[in-house]
Amino acid sequence: MTEGGKGTLVMGVLNVTPDSFSDGGRWASTETAVRHAIDLRDSGADLIDVGGESTRPGAGRVPPRVEQDRVLPVIAELRRQGIRTSVDTLNAETALLAADAGVDIINDVSGGLADPGMADVVARTGLPYIAMHWRGHAGTMDSLATYDDVVGTVVAELTERVAVLEAAGVGRSQIILDPGLGFSKDADQNWQVFARLDAFAPLGLPVMVGASRKRFLAGVLPETAAILDRDLPTAVLSVLAAQAGAWAVRVHDVAGTRTALNVLARVDSARIGS
Ligand code: PMM
């Protein structure tokens, strides 16, 4: 975790899919995807998270070849343009091919649970690896939101993932944790986990937060609000995550979060200067 949230990275979301829940279909060709990634970079993204399989609730699986055809050319082109990327994938093979294409980070929303080959690929590539808290695929995840103590259980389940990854040869310094907001958690559980990001500190690993446009944000908006109206509460949560020491926030509206983080930086530096 970064001290006082200074330097929290902004990861821009690039879903190269026809069906992601808030931006599906908009960046489905390599050319439009690359153009959007450049816009995100120009808006202040530090890196671009390239995904070719939607994880929205109820989404079906995509054959690895289709996923790879979507993400690999985009990653290769962004690499060529000097833009840092992560690949958002559950598949070890896709992660390995993305590494060959020049990806900088592997982002696995299953923390290695979906594909038993993932830990080995992470160990072999030596790339940073985002291990997110996950309990099941999109078709079943909502029914798996059962916890006595959601914060303690998420920390314990991620601790277990770290142990399994390390046993498979992944270096501890490669691992970044993500509490998995919106994945097998109801609205109250998402707020509880977000409110206790400090509970991950004892693990001593960087923490990333992905709250952007997720369903639980609807609860702070009027019933008539559209999905894009969730960008304001997302930016507010980006500031709170940064204050809690998050390593990075994963957002669709990079400009909004960048502005919000700039406000925090000015307040922090004014406090230090006074
Ligand atoms: N959320 C989504 C996809 N990938 N990756 C990480 N590490 N953390 C997240 O919270 C996360 C993710 C789903 O959101 P999208 O459909 O809007 O991309």
Side-chain angles (χ1 to χ4, degrees):
M1 307 259 248
T2 57
E3 199 183 322
K6 280 180 207 68
T8 298
L9 299 176
V10 178
M11 173 189 277
V13 178
L14 181 62
N15 287 316
V16 193
T17 57
D19 62 344
S20 283
F21 84 98
S22 73
D23 58 356
R26 296 195 61 194
W27 328 115
S29 78
T30 300
E31 199 194 341
T32 52
V34 168
R35 209 174 320 124
H36 184 54
I38 292 167
D39 284 348
L40 292 174
R41 191 268 317 269
D42 292 347
S43 300
D46 297 295
L47 68 146
I48 306 294
D49 190 40
V50 185
E53 177 177 22
S54 173
T55 51
R56 81 185 151 81
R61 297 300 313 273
V62 168
R65 257 312 289 275
V66 174
E67 180 195 36
Q68 290 153 17
D69 285 348
R70 290 173 178 172
V71 301
L72 297 177
V74 176
I75 289 165
E77 177 58 21
L78 295 181
R79 172 80 179 192
R80 210 182 59 77
Q81 301 212 20
I83 296 177
R84 278 163 52 82
T85 56
S86 50
V87 62
D88 188 346
T89 186
L90 298 162
N91 291 307
E93 186 189 61
T94 303
L96 187 60
L97 292 170
D100 290 343
V103 85
D104 296 284
I105 299 175
I106 297 168
N107 175 25
D108 175 5
V109 300
S110 82
L113 285 169
D115 186 334
M118 184 63 93
D120 186 47
V121 164
V122 176
R124 274 165 59 194
T125 60
L127 289 175
Y129 174 69
I130 299 166
M132 199 192 80
H133 178 257
W134 183 88
R135 284 185 162 183
H137 287 288
T140 56
M141 68 175 172
D142 283 353
S143 65
L144 301 170
T146 50
Y147 306 86
D148 285 332
D149 160 19
V150 66
V151 175
T153 306
V154 170
V155 171
E157 290 180 5
L158 275 179
T159 303
E160 166 72 13
R161 295 315 308 154
V162 171
V164 170
L165 290 161
E166 285 192 280
V170 176
R172 201 174 172 85
S173 62
Q174 285 177 259
I175 303 173
I176 296 149
L177 301 177
D178 184 327
L181 298 176
F183 288 79
S184 297
K185 293 164 199 80
D186 66 22
D188 285 346
Q189 291 160 350
N190 285 310
W191 287 110
Q192 286 165 27
V193 169
F194 185 88
R196 287 295 321 280
L197 291 177
D198 62 298
F200 297 87
L203 283 153
L205 296 172
V207 173
M208 193 183 97
V209 178
S212 188
R213 295 183 183 169
K214 288 191 177 162
R215 281 176 297 171
F216 72 101
L217 299 179
V220 298
L221 291 164
E223 255 177 49
T224 51
I227 287 191
L228 294 191
D229 293 326
R230 299 179 190 172
D231 285 340
L232 179 54
T234 298
V236 174
L237 289 186
S238 293
V239 168
L240 295 173
Q243 285 185 318
W247 168 79
V249 288
R250 179 184 182 276
V251 297
H252 301 81
D253 173 26
V254 167
T257 272
R258 177 52 70 198
T259 303
L261 292 179
N262 286 345
V263 172
L264 175 63
R266 291 301 290 261
V267 171
D268 279 348
S269 66
R271 189 178 295 121
I272 291 162
S274 65

